[in-house]
Every structure is written in C-alpha cells, then in structure tokens.
C-alpha cells in the first residue's frame, strides 16, 4: 500500500521528490503519514477535501481486500527557528 500511495500522490503534486509515505503500525491499524512540500498540500487535499477523501477511500478498499485496516494522515512540517 505504501508504494501505491507514493505513486498516486507523486502523480498529483508539483514536487514529487519531496513526497514521503511512512507507515506507522498501531493497534492493528496502519497509519500512513504523508509528508510533502507545503505548496503541494492544497493539490492533495483538493476542493472541499475531495481529492484526499478519494485517496483515503482507495486506501480503505485496498487494505480491506488484504484483511488490514489503514488510514492516511497528512503531516505538516513546521519550521522552527
């Protein structure tokens, strides 16, 4: 699922080299943490969240077929300084 998410998101963004997907397993659920360039967050979320909801739906169906549970979270990098 990680490779699928990377492929999908890299096709949407303007800076595909900045996309990273990190799986974090907790309590039988895998949370995929999506990190990307701040200028691409709007593209991934889409109008009224339509794009991110579609990606989450695909992830839900794909993981259910494997008998797993998964979710997707966008992690925003904060610049401290």
């Amino acid at each position: 699922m990680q490779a699928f998410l990377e492929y999908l998101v890299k096709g949407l963004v303007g800076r595909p080299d900045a996309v990273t997907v990190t799986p974090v397993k907790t309590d039988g659920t895998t949370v995929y943490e999506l990190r990307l360039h701040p200028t691409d967050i709007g593209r991934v979320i889409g109008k009224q969240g339509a794009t991110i909801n579609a990606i989450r739906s695909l992830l839900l169906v794909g993981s259910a077929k494997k008998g797993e549970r998964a979710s997707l979270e966008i992690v925003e990098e904060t610049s401290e300084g």
Side-chain angles (χ1 to χ4, degrees):
M1 294 308 302
Q2 180 179 356
F4 169 72
L5 286 172
E6 286 179 1
Y7 173 78
L8 190 62
V9 173
K10 284 181 180 183
L12 294 172
V13 299
R15 298 185 183 199
D17 54 317
V19 173
T20 59
V21 178
T22 308
V24 178
K25 295 189 185 259
T26 57
D27 299 330
T29 302
T30 304
V31 177
Y32 290 95
E33 294 181 346
L34 175 62
R35 290 178 174 80
L36 48 123
H37 195 273
T39 59
D40 291 327
I41 292 176
R43 287 184 173 191
V44 173
I45 294 174
K47 290 185 179 178
Q48 297 180 351
T51 306
I52 191 69
N53 287 336
I55 294 171
R56 285 179 174 145
S57 295
L58 290 170
L59 177 64
L60 190 67
V61 171
S63 62
K65 278 189 161 188
K66 293 182 171 186
E68 302 171 359
R69 299 190 66 144
S71 65
L72 177 66
E73 296 294 327
I74 297 176
V75 178
E76 293 187 49
E77 300 294 326
T78 57
S79 59
E80 297 177 21

